[in-house]
Each structure stands twice: as structure tokens, then as C-alpha cells.
Amino acid sequence: MSTTHSPAPAVRNQLGQPPRTASRGGLMRAEWIKFSSLRSTWVTLVAVIVATVGLGWLFAAVAAAASSSGDAPLGAVSGVALSLAGAQIAWIAFGVLGVLEVTGEYSHGSIGPTFSADPRRWPTLLTKVAVLAFVVLITGGVSVLTAFILGQAALGGAALSLTDDGVVRVLVATTVYLAGLGLIGQALGWLLRSTAGAVAALFGLVFLLPGLGQLLPSSWGPDVVRWLPAQAGQAAQSLVPGEGDLAPVTGLVVFLMWVLLALVAAAVATSRRDA
Amino acid sequence: MVIELSALSKKYGDKTVVSNLTAVIRPGHVTGFLGPNGAGKSTTMRMVLGLDRPTSGQATVNGHSYRALRAPLREVGALLNPRSVHPKRTARAHLRALAAAGGVPTRRVDEVLELAGITGVADKPAGGFSLGMTQRLGVASALLGDPGVVILDEPVNGLDPDGVLWIRTLTRRLAAEGRTVLVSSHLMSEMSLTATHLLVIGRGRLLADTPMADFIAASGETYVRLRSPRLPELIPLIEGPDTIWSSHQVGEVHVRGLGAAEIGDRAAAAGVPLHELTVVEPSLEAAFMKLTRNERDYRADAQEDPR
């Protein structure tokens, strides 16, 4: 390396008195710099928007074409679901984003400096939660809303508007679901510290767990399955609640409780364990 | 600005990594933290930084446990694992994030980049850095908060000669400015050039806590190495009640108890030529080997120096 030994600036400089407490704003800026200084973050977010809006429009347009040719008459209810089809895939991207926000620090060792700057740790955890929630709610909300508007435009005659009964609830619930799975991904990242492990756990939670629930006796199995995170979260996402699902608001509350539980477990484990 | 270890211990399951370590690391010195690989140096440093929890005992900085410090980067700066930056993140972004979290003004980022000599690569992703540049970025992170306590774990690892010299100068200057500087190494020669005080550990136990000079003096004695083509004539000249000589090679003797000047004078008076007359000071390395002979986790007896 070509480094000259020109006189280095003095080490002792005038930084002023140290702050008495680490500032919440400082942590927020730190986490935002970390989040936004990786190109993969932006690629993921753009991909989510494109996929959500594009897929929703595509599904709606194909269905509208089939409907107008008389193959498959289209109801308004499935029209909303069609335009939000992309969101059912977008959660994967948000979940993985949540996982990576944390496991990236563990796998590259930057968790050491991070916790050296904030030895209590939970403020950092809380800040990462806030940054992710903010980004996913904005990105997810914009994609979901755009997907709905474009999808309904493609549907033509069978289209619904935002003022129709339950539409806003479905859009909000879908956005919250996306953010919630991102946060569960982050919590799993804190708990498992490994990208592969946390992503696998997240997929298991959403895809595998309900399937295992099917193996339970039919007399009480469904009563368990409907309370699972993914099932509860999806209950509020259809215009007309599905049979056997929790009521929309109950489902959303139960889902958020799961998110909270995951984050509390993550905070407790993280502040107790060795970094 | 002191680091205090009181009966500090760390166990992982059955394995004791750090055992009952008590020491005070004071300002104004480069304190060398010396021990074989696996002796518990890094674990001790991680406990000082609140990253690992002691099984028992405690480590404090300025009388507080690290976790109780509210602006820790302004008081303690550390380089533990140099590879602690996201490879896709630029050096500048890494430092800016750390500065924000630590309550350090952003302008300080440019200063430490300059200080570490990596301003030219500040906007490149850290993943492309050589080990030497990564090490320099680690030192830049450590000095970010202008801390009174500086902890460097194996800072010269992977550095080129230029970088090694830089670390030596830097650590000495930091100590001269009145800071508490704790530098770990398994390289004894490096320690002997920078440290003025030594903490030696082996298998997690404290073996020595002493000024560097005392450590060396206590662990060996000075002797004179003498080579001459006419040794048989020379030996009678230097023999005496206080003189001990031993022969290790043909034509060479080690003399204890008689100074080099005296030997030289006697040889000159007798007209015996000398090919070498060297005062051999005990080395830190020899002292260290002697002290840790039984404390190394992984002994390689075959390679061990027969002395």
C-alpha cells in the first residue's frame, strides 16, 4: 500500500464534551446510513414495487380478458385479490430484507462495533425495527395502492373503487401484513443470527406450519391453524372473510401480537447473550 | 482513564477461557497484552467492551462497566476483528454510521480516514480492501470518538512493514498523549518495540503484570558471546571465581560474570584476536517462552527450542 508518512493530524482534537446519553436521533441516523448505503436494499425495494404492481396488473388484465371473452365470469371479490396477487409474493422480499438487516451484521462482524457504540443493545434493535417498519410501510403501501388502482383499471367493468366497502381495510391489512413479516424476519435474524437459518425459519412459519396443522385432528386442528401468524394475518386481506378464518380485525390483532412476541423474544435474547 | 479487571472469568461450558484475571491497565503506557493464541486475550477484551458477559468477576472502564457508559465510543475505542465491515459498504459509510451511533461529529470521519491513510479508498466498498487497508479502517474506527482508552487486538496482523511502523508510532503517541493503550499480540518482538508495560496470560491465567524492563530482566541474564580462532589461549585469561563460561559451538563461548570491555582488554593485552564480542540481552521472546512453557494450549514439542 502506498501510504506516505506525512505528519498525521493530531489524535487529540476538540470533540467537545461527550453527550450524557446516546441520542435516539443518532442511532436512527446510524441505522439509516447502514440500511441505505447498500445497493441491494434499493434493488430489493424497486423489485418489490415492480413485482407487486406488475403482477397485480397482469393477473387482473388476464382475468379481464378471459371474462370478456366469456370463459370465466369475474366477481368483484376475486378482482381485489387478483390485483393484490403480487403482494402475496412481495412478503418474501420484505422478510428477507428484515433478516439481512440483522444477519448481515453478524456474518460480517459489524455487530461488534454496533454494540460497542450501543452496549445496551435494545435501542439499536428498536431502531432497526423502526427503520424497517418505516420503509416497508411506505414501499408496501405505495405498491399495494398502485397495484389496486392499476389492477382495477385493467378489470374494467368489474372494478371496485377505494370507497367500496372493505377495500381500504384490505389494502391496509395487506400492507401491515408485509411490514409484519418483514419484522418477524428481522426478529428471526436476531434470534438465529444466520441468514440461511432465519430465512428457512420464516418460510417454515408461513408455508410449512399451516401444512403441519392440516395433520392435526379435524375436530380441533382448524382452531389451532387459524391462530397461526400467517393465517391470522391473511384473515383481514380478503374482502369477504374466508370460512374458518378469524374475523378481520381479530386476525390483524392476533398477527400483530405474533410480531410483538417475536420482537420481544429477540430483544431479550440479544441483550442477554454474548454478542 | 483506567481499565480494571477484577477476578474476571469466562467459561464456555466446561472450558475455562479466562480465569480469575485481576489487573489494572493505566494511562500513559502502551500495555502489551501478551499470550499464545487461545490464551484468552480476545475474550478478555470482548468482556471489557461489554460484548461478552463474564461468568464471574467484572471489567470496568473508568470505574464503570462498559454497559453503563452512555457514550462509550467517546471513552473507549477498540479494534477487535478487523473484518467487521459489510463488504458492500464503503469505508466512509461505515464510519459515518458508527459516528452517528456513537455521538461523534461527522467531521471526525474525514479526520480518522486521513489519520489512517485511507482517504483515497474511503468511497470504495470495504470488501475490496487488502487486509492491511482493512486493519487501517479498523484503527480509524477505534479512534473515531477520540477516546481516552484504546484497545487494539493484534493490530499488526496482516500489515506490511510500512503499516507495522505506523502502528508502532501511533500506539506510542497515543500513550504519550496520556491515553490508556492496551495492545494484544502473540508477536513478542513487536511488543518489545512498543509496550512499556506487560500483561502476560496463558490459558486464561495471569502470568505476569510488570514493567517491560523488569519482565525481561527477571527472566534471563545478560551474557557475552565470544568467538575467536584461538579460544584455548583466551579461556585462561577470562577465568576467575565469578566467571562462568559455556561452549555451544566450536570456536564460540558464552561468558557470564565478566563484562565485554574487560574481556576485550584482556584479549588485546595478550594479543589474541577476537572475531566476535557481543553483549546478548535477554529477549522478550526468551522470557516469554520460559514463562509460558507450561501454559501453551497446543504444544509442539518437536519444534520446541531445546534450550
Side-chain angles (χ1 to χ4, degrees), chain B residues 107-121:
Chain B
R107 67 182 155 82
R108 177 72 180 156
V109 169
D110 289 332
E111 292 176 15
V112 293
L113 282 168
E114 188 66 40
L115 179 73
I118 49 173
T119 305
V121 294

Side-chain angles (χ1 to χ4, degrees), chain A residues 26-210:
Chain A
L27 279 182
M28 197 65 92
R29 250 182 312 128
E31 289 306 327
W32 177 251
I33 291 169
K34 285 190 220 165
F35 189 75
S36 61
S37 62
L38 295 178
R39 200 194 317 165
S40 58
T41 302
W42 300 107
V43 172
T44 307
L45 293 179
V46 169
V48 163
I49 295 175
V50 169
T52 310
V53 174
L55 281 176
W57 179 82
L58 193 67
F59 274 56
V62 168
S67 167
S68 62
S69 66
D71 291 347
L74 194 61
V77 173
S78 55
V80 176
L82 281 173
S83 60
L84 297 183
Q88 298 308 317
I89 295 170
W91 74 261
I92 296 175
F94 285 137
V96 172
L97 198 63
V99 167
L100 284 176
E101 199 190 357
V102 176
T103 58
E105 293 232 26
Y106 279 100
S107 60
H108 301 301
S110 60
I111 197 69
T114 295
F115 283 160
S116 299
D118 174 30
R120 289 180 301 166
R121 302 181 187 178
W122 64 262
T124 289
L125 188 141
L126 206 63
T127 311
K128 277 194 195 294
V129 166
V131 166
L132 186 74
F134 173 77
V135 169
V136 176
L137 283 176
I138 299 275
T139 326
V142 167
S143 337
V144 164
L145 186 64
T146 314
F148 174 78
I149 291 169
L150 286 185
Q152 298 308 304
L155 283 172
L160 288 179
S161 80
L162 285 172
T163 51
D164 281 311
D165 224 17
V167 167
V168 168
R169 187 251 300 158
V170 168
L171 298 186
V172 168
T174 306
T175 306
V176 169
Y177 182 69
L178 292 178
L181 286 181
L183 294 181
I184 289 182
Q186 202 195 77
L188 290 170
W190 286 115
L191 288 167
L192 300 175
R193 300 179 172 188
S194 116
T195 308
V199 168
L202 182 64
F203 278 38
L205 197 69
V206 175
F207 289 133
L208 222 57
L209 213 53

Side-chain angles (χ1 to χ4, degrees), chain B residues 181-219:
Chain B
V181 184
L182 180 64
V183 181
S184 84
S185 183
H186 64 279
L187 299 172
M188 286 133 305
S189 51
E190 192 52 42
M191 286 283 91
S192 64
L193 290 168
T194 50
T196 50
H197 195 90
L198 268 190
L199 282 183
V200 185
I201 66 170
R203 286 188 190 166
R205 293 194 299 112
L206 187 67
L207 301 180
D209 175 1
T210 161
M212 173 69 88
D214 293 2
F215 179 74
I216 294 176
S219 303

Side-chain angles (χ1 to χ4, degrees), chain A residues 1 5 13 20 116 274-275, chain B residues 10 46 66 70 111 162:
Chain A
M1 192 164 48
H5 284 292
N13 67 350
R20 284 159 58 92
S116 299
D274 287 347
Chain B
K10 180 72 180 179
R46 288 177 61 83
Y66 191 91
R70 280 296 163 260
E111 292 176 15
D162 195 36

